[in-house]
Amino acid sequence: MICSTEQRPERIDSITAMMRSGQFDGMILSTAEPNDPIISACQRTGLPFVVVGRNEAPPGMPTVIIDETHGTDLVIKHLADLGHRDLALIVGGQNLTAGQIRHQCFMEAVEAHGLTVDPAHIIFSNDYTIDGGRVCCERLLDNGVDVTAIIAVNDLVAMGCYQACTARGIKCPDDVSITGYNEIRYSALVSPSLTTVRARSLDAGVALADILIECIENPGVPARQEVVLPELIIRESTGPVRA
């Protein structure tokens, strides 16, 4: 059964009451909010559960971590190797864990590779859609920002950047390289095909199931934590920096 709290306390109460009904043996929790109350609520049910997280594991809890630091570093290194120094970032809103972590990882990776980024080149958005990406990229271009690469928070936002750039006669990757994240199925089919980060969600799902079954079959087993490393998929949307 799949449930969503919708960040509403009454939904959390309803879900945890259902979990205590005896119909379920365990839970997988995927949260997008810092200190999500669903975690402590599920702890009170007494049922085994495992958390899928980004970069940080809740203390003492079975967790599968998607290493966002590694994935973001792959993108920055790839662009740096192509000669890019003027980067822009379109990142998610800072009210969600994903947005916070991706922004933090980006800044750490930029510094690690000896680069700097003007704060004016960072656009925050809570809209992770193609339209959201287009609007953010238009805002970036309206500010007169001259960058050679745009790093989008996900593939849909990157495709929105395609639209904004095409409307202004900016060619990808000749004028600007664009990268995505999470590799949706259409990322290889758009033109140019999108350079992106594959989060290896299948591997993460298998690890989550393995750990949860282990917790169910062996109550009291020490919490196990597993890290899944994303991989960079290089396609046509990135190229050497223009002369």
Side-chain angles (χ1 to χ4, degrees):
M1 181 172 289
I2 299 174
C3 303
S4 172
T5 67
E6 300 174 0
Q7 284 78 52
R8 291 160 48 194
E10 64 272 18
R11 289 282 298 158
I12 293 175
D13 292 342
S14 173
I15 290 169
T16 52
M18 182 175 59
M19 293 302 168
R20 286 192 293 265
S21 68
Q23 302 178 68
F24 305 96
D25 296 310
M27 298 172 281
I28 293 174
L29 303 182
S30 175
T31 68
E33 194 176 314
N35 305 312
D36 196 322
I38 188 63
I39 295 178
S40 57
C42 286
Q43 283 180 302
R44 292 192 291 272
T45 69
L47 281 177
F49 69 90
V50 58
V51 178
V52 55
R54 293 178 171 90
N55 282 29
E56 290 187 5
M61 293 184 195
T63 309
V64 174
I65 299 171
I66 310 297
D67 193 335
E68 297 276 349
T69 298
H70 180 74
T72 307
D73 187 74
L74 291 175
V75 172
I76 300 300
K77 182 181 185 304
H78 171 60
L79 293 173
D81 288 346
L82 290 171
H84 293 277
R85 297 294 180 269
D86 299 315
L87 309 178
L89 173 69
I90 299 177
V91 70
Q94 298 302 282
N95 59 319
L96 297 180
T97 302
Q100 294 176 7
I101 290 177
R102 195 70 56 79
H103 179 226
Q104 178 184 342
C105 292
F106 173 79
M107 300 309 295
E108 290 175 353
V110 164
E111 183 178 355
H113 290 279
L115 306 177
T116 58
V117 176
D118 189 322
H121 297 183
I122 302 175
I123 303 292
F124 296 96
S125 173
N126 290 318
D127 190 342
Y128 289 74
T129 66
I130 291 177
D131 284 344
R134 176 181 51 76
V135 169
C136 286
C137 190
E138 287 173 347
R139 192 189 317 163
L140 189 72
L141 299 173
D142 286 342
N143 291 339
V145 172
D146 184 20
V147 296
T148 64
I150 299 173
I151 301 162
V153 67
N154 70 8
D155 288 0
L156 292 177
V157 170
M159 292 173 191
C161 292
Y162 278 17
Q163 292 183 346
C165 289
T166 298
R168 303 196 185 203
I170 299 171
K171 296 180 180 179
C172 174
D174 295 346
D175 299 321
V176 62
S177 289
I178 297 174
T179 65
Y181 208 102
N182 291 340
E183 202 205 13
I184 62 174
R185 68 173 66 182
Y186 306 114
S187 60
L189 303 179
V190 295
S191 181
S193 57
L194 182 63
T195 294
T196 186
V197 173
R198 178 180 292 158
R200 295 176 57 204
S201 300
L202 177 60
D203 293 341
V206 171
L208 284 164
D210 285 344
I211 293 174
L212 182 57
I213 291 170
E214 183 179 285
C215 291
I216 293 170
E217 295 181 345
N218 301 285
V221 66
R224 178 158 70 94
Q225 297 176 348
E226 189 161 328
V227 177
V228 175
L229 297 179
E231 55 189 341
L232 182 67
I233 309 299
I234 300 173
R235 298 196 180 105
E236 298 168 345
S237 68
T238 51
V241 67
R242 60 181 183 266

